[in-house]
Amino acid sequence: ALEGELWSSEDLAGQLDRLATYGRSHVAFVIGGSTGLSPAVLRRAQQKLSFGRMTLPHQLMRLVLVEQIYRAVKINRGEPYHK
């Protein structure tokens, strides 16, 4: 989302850790298409995250998101991950 917050990998790891700590076992990420997201979807969002101002193809954004979730898990486990 253009109006979303910019987080570091550590910020994402911390947020996912907090969600797990407070009993949130289900997290859904919704990636907007070329026309964005509907106002109804945006209203339901508890967080809006931006990966920058660049436009990325939907399939590539899915890969970037999965990689960042993987990185967050590694950070939360205290395991090394290539930077």
Side-chain angles (χ1 to χ4, degrees):
L2 290 176
E3 67 278 359
E5 296 177 39
L6 290 169
W7 290 352
S8 67
S9 296
E10 291 80 5
D11 292 335
L12 178 61
Q15 184 68 12
L16 291 176
D17 190 51
R18 278 187 290 284
L19 289 169
T21 299
Y22 293 105
R24 292 294 184 105
S25 60
H26 293 85
V27 176
F29 290 92
V30 178
I31 300 170
S34 60
T35 59
L37 295 167
S38 73
V41 170
L42 291 171
R43 280 192 301 274
R44 291 189 62 192
Q46 294 174 354
Q47 287 283 346
K48 295 176 188 167
L49 178 61
S50 174
F51 281 83
R53 294 175 48 189
M54 297 172 88
T55 301
L56 298 173
H58 195 268
Q59 296 292 347
L60 179 58
M61 190 57 234
R62 289 172 57 184
L63 180 61
V64 170
L65 176 60
V66 167
E67 191 280 333
Q68 285 300 306
I69 293 169
Y70 174 77
R71 185 182 296 256
V73 170
K74 298 288 273 184
I75 290 169
N76 286 337
R77 290 181 176 176
E79 297 175 7
Y81 187 80
H82 177 59
K83 291 185 177 195

